[in-house]
Every structure is written in C-alpha cells, then in structure tokens.
C-alpha cells in the first residue's frame, strides 16, 4: 500500500456508525500496524483532518468539512437546493433527501427528517446501492449505459423481501422511470417506507442529482406527492441552469 493509500485507509476507517475511534480500532479497521496508525493519525491531527478528544479517541476534523465545501456536487448543490428542500419538507411533512451518484452508489448530500412518520435508515453522507432506493433508481435510470449495464450484471443486494434483485425487473423499472420521470421504491430498503424521487438536471441538461420523498406506506398515496416533488426538482434544476427547466410550464422528464 502506498503512503497516500495508508493515509486514506485511516480516514476510511470512520463510518456513520463508527465516527469516534480509538487508535487500536483505527489500526484494525485500516489494516495497519499500531505504530503506523499512530504516526499517520498524528499527521492527520496536525493537518486538521482528524481531531483527538480528551480520552484519546479520534474523530473526523473540520478541515475536511472545509474542503468538502469546495465540491460542486456537495455543499454548493445543497445551498442552491436548500430553499426548495425546506418548502417541500414543510408542505409534505415527509422525509426529504437530496442525493448524487458516486459510481454504483447513491450518496445523500442533504436530508430533512420528518417526525411522526416511518423511520428511515438514510442519513447525511450515507451510501446505498443504486437499485434499492428511490433516488438511486432515478439516478441509475439516467446514468450512462455502461454504468447501467455494470449494475445490472452485478449481484443485486437484498434488503427486504421487496428489494429488486432480478436484473430483468430492474431493467423494466428503469425504463418506466425514464418514461414517467419519477422513481417509486416501495419497501425496497426499509419495510413500511415508500420512496418517490425525481431527477435534477444541471447546466448541460444532464442529470446531476435526485430529489426524494419518503413516507409511510399507509400514510398516503405517494403518487399524490409527485406534482409538488417534481415542481421542486424542476426549481432546483432551474437554479442550476438546466435549459429544460427554464420553461415553467414544462416538466423535467427522462430522456
């Protein structure tokens, strides 16, 4: 492993469920000797990528957040989308997700959690396979053909008894998403939860993100939320300069 690879392995030891680690845990999770982990952790603390608490445990440092703010698909997208997300959240009282694709995974760059409804697993910065979430399906349906085929040819992980694990069924669903402009994932990642999502387009009219809502499966007809959700997705697309969203009478649709 290269020197850069070892540094990245230390950072990669941290996950949403493991955000505070001892040196021994970093060593084990990164596959490094205790001595090497100690040296690299010290370098990362000095640089600001890690912080150390009074008990000697490590956590991600603020300097990484400062760098993340420079990512156009991260905080910049969130800032443009935030007014639309908040309006959507207050009008629907549903969980609201803003997500982007990274390889074969969907990554949540913003989440607004509703109270008194179904519990969701997704949180800010978390990753899930594209085939198992509403936002993931919306992104996969508009991804390059090569990416789609790679996902279709790989094993599709099952999370519930309703998760799509058959490539032919997934291919049909993706075609339907492109036809309607909306993805629907019913109890595919979490039981009792149904997600709907729509694509968000950038200045070149390419799909750069997805907007999603999650409600309890018995709470309401999720399709009744489609108009307000697609209007919000169109508004974000317009803020990003998407030509297809410039006409307020139009609807952001698949291609």
């Amino acid at each position: 492993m290269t020197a850069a690879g070892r540094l990245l392995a230390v950072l990669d030891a941290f996950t949403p469920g493991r955000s505070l680690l001892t040196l021994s845990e970093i060593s084990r999770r990164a596959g490094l000797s205790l001595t090497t982990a100690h040296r690299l952790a010290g370098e990362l603390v000095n640089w600001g990528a890690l912080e150390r608490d009074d008990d000697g445990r490590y956590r991600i440092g603020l300097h990484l957040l400062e760098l993340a703010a420079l990512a156009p698909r991260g905080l910049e997208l969130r800032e443009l989308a935030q007014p639309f997300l908040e309006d959507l959240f207050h009008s629907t009282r549903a969980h609201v997700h803003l997500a982007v694709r990274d390889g074969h995974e969907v990554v949540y760059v913003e989440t607004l959690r509703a109270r008194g409804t179904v519990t969701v697993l997704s949180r800010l910065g978390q990753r899930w396979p594209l085939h198992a979430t509403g936002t993931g399906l919306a992104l996969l349906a508009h991804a390059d053909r090569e990416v789609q085929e790679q996902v279709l040819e790989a094993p599709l992980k099952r999370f519930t008894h309703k998760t799509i694990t058959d490539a032919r069924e997934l291919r049909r669903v993706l075609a339907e998403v492109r036809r309607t402009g909306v993805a629907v994932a019913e109890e595919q990642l979490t039981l009792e939860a149904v997600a709907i999502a729509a694509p968000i387009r950038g200045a070149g009219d390419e799909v750069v993100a997805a907007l999603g809502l999650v409600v309890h499966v018995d709470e309401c007809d999720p399709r009744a939320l489609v108009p307000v959700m697609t209007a919000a997705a169109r508004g974000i697309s317009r803020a990003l300069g998407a030509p297809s969203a410039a006409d307020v009478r139009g609807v952001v649709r698949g291609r």
Side-chain angles (χ1 to χ4, degrees):
M1 188 184 299
T2 64
R6 288 192 290 271
L7 280 170
L8 294 174
V10 171
L11 294 175
D12 207 37
F14 295 85
T15 64
R18 296 277 188 171
S19 59
L20 196 61
L21 299 175
T22 65
L23 186 61
S24 296
E25 289 172 329
I26 293 174
S27 171
R28 183 175 64 254
R29 293 171 65 84
L32 301 171
S33 70
L34 198 59
T35 301
T36 299
H38 181 267
R39 177 174 58 82
L40 295 177
E43 291 180 9
L44 290 168
V45 168
N46 291 335
W47 187 74
L50 293 181
E51 296 176 354
R52 193 178 182 190
D53 67 12
D54 294 337
D55 295 323
R57 295 174 298 179
Y58 295 85
R59 61 190 170 209
I60 295 296
L62 289 177
H63 193 42
L64 286 184
L65 179 61
E66 294 170 352
L67 290 177
L70 302 176
R73 293 199 303 159
L75 297 185
E76 182 180 338
L77 173 62
R78 289 173 64 193
E79 288 179 1
L80 286 173
Q82 198 66 40
F84 300 96
L85 302 181
E86 291 177 356
D87 286 347
L88 187 62
F89 177 75
H90 290 301
S91 64
T92 63
R93 294 298 176 185
H95 300 295
V96 178
H97 295 317
L98 178 66
V100 297
R101 181 178 67 84
D102 186 20
H104 297 170
E105 296 176 312
V106 57
V107 182
Y108 293 93
V109 296
E110 183 60 285
T111 63
L112 300 180
R113 290 173 173 263
R115 295 183 178 181
T117 185
V118 64
T119 300
V120 293
L121 300 176
S122 303
R123 55 186 293 178
L124 182 64
Q126 195 158 24
R127 296 168 175 265
W128 295 101
L130 290 167
H131 73 281
T133 70
T135 50
L137 289 172
L139 290 165
L140 182 58
H142 298 283
D144 293 340
R145 181 58 59 87
E146 181 180 358
V147 172
Q148 292 184 28
E149 292 303 321
Q150 289 171 352
V151 172
L152 288 163
E153 292 171 4
L156 300 173
K157 183 177 179 179
R158 181 183 297 278
F159 294 92
T160 74
H161 67 283
K162 288 195 173 183
T163 305
I164 299 174
T165 58
D166 180 76
R168 287 175 298 180
E169 173 64 9
L170 179 56
R171 195 182 296 276
R172 184 196 66 77
V173 168
L174 296 179
E176 183 68 5
V177 172
R178 288 189 291 271
R179 185 184 72 81
T180 64
V182 177
V184 180
E186 185 172 335
E187 298 185 287
Q188 291 197 44
L189 183 63
T190 308
L191 290 176
E192 301 184 342
V194 55
I196 58 173
I200 294 170
R201 296 183 180 275
D205 238 13
E206 75 285 9
V207 172
V208 296
L211 175 65
L213 293 177
V214 181
V215 297
H216 193 283
V217 69
D218 296 326
E219 192 171 316
C220 67
D221 181 358
R223 290 167 180 79
L225 300 176
V226 168
V228 67
M229 183 195 63
T230 54
R234 186 167 64 251
I236 299 171
S237 298
R238 189 162 55 248
L240 291 172
S244 62
D247 184 354
V248 296
R249 297 170 299 172
V251 176
V252 177
R253 295 189 182 277
R255 292 188 170 187

